[in-house]
Amino acid sequence: MACVNPPVRVLVVDDDALVRAGLTMMLDGAAGIAVVGEADDGDGASAAVDAHAPDVVLMDLRMPRVDGITATRRLRARPRPPEVIVLTTFDTDENILHALRAGASGFLLKDTPPARIVEAVRQVVAGEPILSPQITRRLMDRAAVQAGAYARAKATLAVLSPREHDVVVEIGQGLNNAEIAAALDMTLATVKSHVSHILTKLDLGNRTQIALLAHDAGLA
């Protein structure tokens, strides 16, 4: 009998009931994805994660009581955190940067085509960030010029082995695991192992934060 992978479990967090309904309808209609719950603000997100154990949370930014940045930070601090995709109408540099620093795996606007949102859900579960190259470059340039960012980043990366350092450089360039394996003449399994060790050593939550650190250090 063929083995069937379980669906990707998604939680939708938004204070607009119509937006939640639209996202739920869209995602539930996609193969391999199931919306397992909803919350109407960041305060309810933690309880909803406890109740439904999602793999991915679609998180609005501006909500009553607890905003999406605070809720993202709380969720990503859990022992087994879900991936978080911020989905909002507000695309200022400050909002995007705060979301990524809080541990979000990506940032999309609410007018993103449905197929792209579905792709993003699958992509973050596979461990890949979901920022467009234009947004990535804009934010990395901003992060790199912040006072003291360069020195702090260089000191942080000093704990890595030379090969782990090489992997950080490639992640900063936006390469996925397969592309890094080809560029550095490694097996895919070795790359995945290095990425895992980097995240542990640097106490980071995802690849996007590695990329931010690489740009802070002037490596990409």
Side-chain angles (χ1 to χ4, degrees):
M1 182 180 295
C3 178
V4 178
N5 292 327
V8 176
R9 300 168 61 83
V10 177
L11 174 71
V12 178
V13 182
D14 198 295
D15 62 336
D16 188 324
L18 289 177
V19 171
R20 295 198 308 272
L23 288 170
T24 296
M25 182 179 299
M26 176 189 70
L27 291 168
D28 268 342
I33 295 177
V35 176
V36 295
E38 300 178 7
D40 61 5
D41 86 319
D43 194 37
S46 292
V49 168
D50 286 337
H52 303 292
D55 303 302
V56 179
V57 176
L58 289 184
M59 181 77 74
D60 190 20
L61 275 187
R62 298 193 180 181
M63 296 179 289
R65 296 183 294 276
V66 175
D67 63 81
I69 300 297
T70 302
T72 296
R73 188 176 296 111
R74 290 176 180 176
L75 293 183
R76 293 298 299 169
R78 288 168 166 251
R80 297 182 64 182
E83 302 294 341
V84 177
I85 299 172
V86 169
L87 189 62
T88 182
T89 56
F90 305 100
D91 66 341
T92 66
D93 285 2
E94 204 67 28
N95 281 334
I96 301 169
L97 190 57
H98 282 324
L100 298 181
R101 295 292 189 193
S105 299
F107 194 104
L108 296 174
L109 296 180
K110 287 183 177 176
D111 61 359
T112 299
R116 176 63 180 131
I117 296 176
V118 170
E119 177 189 354
V121 168
R122 294 177 176 141
Q123 197 168 332
V124 297
V125 169
E128 302 290 349
I130 54 165
L131 293 176
S132 70
Q134 294 87 348
I135 290 178
T136 301
R137 175 55 59 183
R138 193 172 93 199
L139 292 180
M140 303 311 182
D141 289 345
R142 177 189 174 97
V145 300
Q146 290 180 343
Y150 175 81
R152 290 194 300 271
K154 294 292 283 188
T156 299
L157 293 173
V159 304
L160 301 180
S161 71
R163 212 55 173 147
E164 289 166 348
H165 193 275
D166 291 342
V167 172
V168 167
V169 173
E170 301 303 333
I171 290 175
Q173 296 289 348
L175 274 63
N176 61 33
N177 286 347
E179 292 167 336
I180 294 172
L184 299 181
D185 193 24
M186 296 179 179
T187 66
L188 185 58
T190 299
V191 173
K192 290 180 178 179
S193 177
H194 280 317
V195 172
S196 178
H197 290 159
I198 291 165
L199 291 171
T200 299
K201 284 185 177 182
L202 303 185
D203 193 25
L204 299 177
N206 55 48
R207 294 170 66 96
T208 304
Q209 292 177 318
I210 296 175
L212 284 167
L213 193 60
H215 281 75
D216 283 352
L219 299 178

